[in-house]
Amino acid sequence: MKRSLGVPKSFGISHAVLRKKFRAGMTFANYRDKEIIFSQGDSADSVFYVESGTVKLTVVSTRKKAIIAILQRGSFFGEGCLAGQSLRNCTARSIGQSNIIRLQKESTLHTLKRDPQFATLFVGYLLSRVVRIEEDLIDQFFNFSERRLARVLMLFGQITKESKSDSALKVSQSTLAEMVGTTRARVSKFMNDFKKKGLVSYNGGLQINSALIVEFLQNRPMSVNKK
């Protein structure tokens, strides 16, 4: 049986459906490229939903910066407030233009209690995020940087497909290095190898051959073996 390759599941909910469920507990905002939605250390008082676009979550310490998630259309984020988180433990920033729905904490808790359909959808999304995080941890601790980079590229390929954008993907090798947890020099070497194999190409931006990326991952066994 083939192992899941870690593309997170997303859930499409229309603006109108959320408005009906949340009424005054919902607000809507448009964000420009690189615009901050919330910052690390801000008060955690709401859950967010990506109606369109892409969002990047990053964490900064005194010495390091890490990208912990790239979220596409149909993703929730900021849900830590529902479990007692008082301050944001990361920064959320728009990649390109995005449309984001903000759901008040109290309204979200109330809707989860009274709306089984929404609760089932929300829990399903959270479980898919848990699976993705587990796979990322396995990759980070046990697998080679080359394979981790391929999984990141597969994610960006999925985001490009979901967004149905005609513009080329703009992502720097420094960003890829942050996501993979390696140096920019190693990412550059791997990307050159991927280009020779046809996995990626450059034409005004990064273009990803998702089918070849999937084939590469399936033919590149993980370092972790099943017991």
Side-chain angles (χ1 to χ4, degrees):
M1 187 173 87
K2 291 180 180 178
R3 174 182 174 274
S4 167
L5 296 177
V7 175
K9 189 176 182 181
S10 61
F11 296 84
I13 311 175
S14 71
H15 190 116
V17 168
L18 285 176
R19 175 65 70 185
K20 183 177 180 180
K21 292 180 182 295
F22 285 87
R23 302 182 187 280
M26 165 184 156
T27 54
F28 176 84
N30 297 312
Y31 290 88
R32 301 182 303 275
D33 183 36
K34 299 181 180 179
E35 188 173 359
I36 291 176
I37 300 165
F38 60 72
S39 295
Q40 188 172 329
D42 285 353
S43 177
D45 58 1
S46 53
V47 178
F48 293 85
Y49 178 76
V50 185
E51 185 175 44
S52 66
T54 306
V55 172
K56 174 174 66 175
L57 304 183
T58 60
V59 174
V60 178
S61 70
T62 54
R63 292 181 297 175
K64 293 183 179 181
K65 176 183 177 182
I67 299 174
I68 59 174
I70 299 290
L71 305 175
Q72 61 197 98
R73 179 180 62 84
S75 298
F76 293 97
F77 62 102
E79 67 276 2
C81 67
L82 303 179
Q85 185 185 88
S86 59
L87 299 176
R88 301 294 185 191
N89 61 7
C90 64
T91 295
R93 191 186 301 267
S94 178
I95 299 178
Q97 183 176 347
S98 62
N99 301 324
I100 306 297
I101 292 173
R102 178 180 179 272
L103 307 173
Q104 292 179 359
K105 173 183 173 181
E106 294 75 13
S107 295
T108 304
L109 289 170
H110 180 65
T111 302
L112 288 170
K113 290 179 181 178
R114 68 178 176 83
D115 190 329
Q117 183 180 13
F118 178 76
T120 298
L121 182 149
F122 190 77
V123 170
Y125 173 76
L126 294 182
L127 289 174
S128 73
R129 281 278 297 275
V130 169
V131 170
R132 173 63 194 270
I133 291 170
E134 288 178 346
E135 291 178 342
D136 286 345
L137 284 173
I138 290 171
D139 260 354
Q140 190 68 37
F141 284 112
F142 298 107
N143 288 300
F144 299 112
S145 301
E146 185 183 33
R147 192 180 195 284
R148 298 202 304 269
L149 176 60
R151 288 186 72 243
V152 169
L153 291 173
M154 184 179 62
L155 171 62
F156 275 115
Q158 181 70 16
I159 289 172
T160 302
K161 180 181 177 182
E162 288 284 339
S163 66
K164 299 179 181 178
S165 174
D166 293 330
S167 59
L169 177 64
K170 304 290 186 180
V171 56
S172 69
Q173 292 189 354
S174 296
T175 296
L176 293 173
E178 288 178 359
M179 295 182 70
V180 172
T182 188
T183 64
R184 185 184 180 281
R186 286 183 63 78
V187 166
S188 178
K189 176 184 180 300
F190 294 143
M191 291 296 283
N192 286 333
D193 291 341
F194 288 168
K195 183 179 178 181
K196 292 176 183 177
K197 296 174 182 176
L199 277 65
V200 299
S201 60
Y202 295 93
N203 184 15
L206 177 62
Q207 296 179 328
I208 299 167
N209 188 321
S210 296
L212 288 182
I213 290 285
V214 170
E215 182 180 345
F216 172 84
L217 287 168
Q218 290 173 345
N219 293 329
R220 193 85 168 180
M222 297 182 65
S223 300
V224 176
N225 296 321
K226 293 183 178 180
K227 297 293 185 180

